[in-house]
Amino acid sequence: MNSLLEEIKSYKDQFKQNAPAEKQRLMAQATQELKDSGIASGLTVVDQAPSFELPHADGTTVNLKTLLENGPVIVTFYRGGWCPYCNLELRAYQRELATIQEKGATLVAISPETPDYSLSTKEKNELDFYVLSDVDNIVARQFDLVFDMPDYLIDIYKASGLNVDAHNGNEDWQLPKPATFIIQSDGTISFSDVPADYTERVDPKTVIEKL
């Protein structure tokens, strides 16, 4: 079984071979602009995590404070089930779920998708952990992760059939940076990874080592 980083490299290589050069150029430009802007840099180590309560894909409600009573919580923000890098990451976490639970931790994945789309993501990837719906990016904003997609990138997504607005149930075309946090029982963040490049992800094995 390949690692997440190996799977991402393989997907990126395929994209470079198959995607039109102009599309690749503009997507790289958007990533660089986001990096240069310095916005949505994310909460960092020793910050206090905002408390949140969000709907799970199965219809129940999940409360961070309640989860923390049982031990540390890994929170990973993903862009949506339409994002191939996100799906690779979610499946990689599923492979490591037993190890995470053995260490007394809980895993939570959050996206701005509506509950129906979150359920589709959970079922498609056969996920056995919490998949939460953060419509309007309310929690992601509290973690300082949200940015506006530039108009030219929205045009590329639409041309590719990626209707992010439909998935998110609004018209704002805002996304969170993919980000991963470990939150300790007292609510303190002990690990933070917030890449500006959405194709970069921290390997779940690395996160487990930091627990």
Side-chain angles (χ1 to χ4, degrees):
M1 178 66 72
N2 289 337
S3 72
L4 172 60
L5 302 189
E6 289 169 334
E7 290 175 337
I8 286 176
K9 182 182 183 305
S10 176
Y11 185 86
K12 287 170 81 169
D13 290 344
Q14 288 179 348
F15 181 77
K16 288 175 182 175
Q17 288 176 4
N18 299 325
E22 180 65 1
K23 179 178 181 178
Q24 293 190 49
R25 185 188 72 78
L26 289 171
M27 292 179 81
Q29 177 182 320
T31 297
Q32 191 60 50
E33 287 174 354
L34 182 57
K35 282 182 179 178
D36 293 344
S37 73
I39 64 169
S41 55
L43 297 183
T44 189
V45 173
V46 310
D47 281 341
Q48 199 73 11
S51 187
F52 61 78
E53 187 171 278
L54 290 172
H56 179 29
D58 68 0
T60 59
T61 299
V62 174
N63 183 293
L64 176 63
K65 186 177 179 182
T66 302
L67 296 181
L68 289 172
E69 291 173 0
N70 298 316
V73 176
I74 298 170
V75 177
T76 184
F77 287 85
Y78 69 101
R79 293 154 21 111
W82 49 266
C83 169
Y85 297 96
C86 299
N87 289 318
L88 289 174
E89 180 183 37
L90 293 170
R91 289 196 291 268
Y93 271 110
Q94 178 61 36
R95 294 196 296 268
E96 301 296 336
L97 183 58
T99 304
I100 291 168
Q101 293 171 338
E102 285 166 10
K103 288 183 171 286
T106 304
L107 175 60
V108 170
I110 300 175
S111 86
E113 292 190 306
T114 64
D116 282 349
Y117 278 106
S118 294
L119 179 59
S120 297
T121 299
K122 178 176 167 62
E123 291 176 342
K124 174 178 65 179
N125 293 302
E126 299 180 340
L127 306 177
D128 296 320
F129 51 85
Y130 293 115
V131 180
L132 307 185
S133 179
D134 179 27
V135 174
D136 297 330
N137 281 301
I138 291 169
V139 173
R141 215 177 304 281
Q142 293 175 327
F143 278 81
D144 189 26
L145 302 175
V146 182
F147 64 95
D148 293 301
M149 294 177 64
D151 289 341
Y152 66 85
L153 188 60
I154 294 173
D155 291 340
I156 290 172
Y157 275 44
K158 286 181 175 177
S160 301
L162 294 177
N163 297 311
V164 175
D165 51 346
H167 281 254
N168 291 359
N170 58 41
E171 301 290 328
D172 62 19
W173 286 84
Q174 292 181 330
L175 289 176
K177 285 182 179 176
T180 304
F181 303 93
I182 296 175
I183 304 171
Q184 297 298 330
S185 295
D186 64 356
T188 303
I189 295 172
S190 62
F191 174 83
S192 169
D193 182 77
V194 188
D197 183 344
Y198 68 92
T199 70
E200 295 177 1
R201 307 296 165 102
V202 61
D203 194 291
K205 290 181 184 295
T206 302
V207 179
I208 289 168
E209 290 170 5
K210 303 286 186 182
L211 271 173

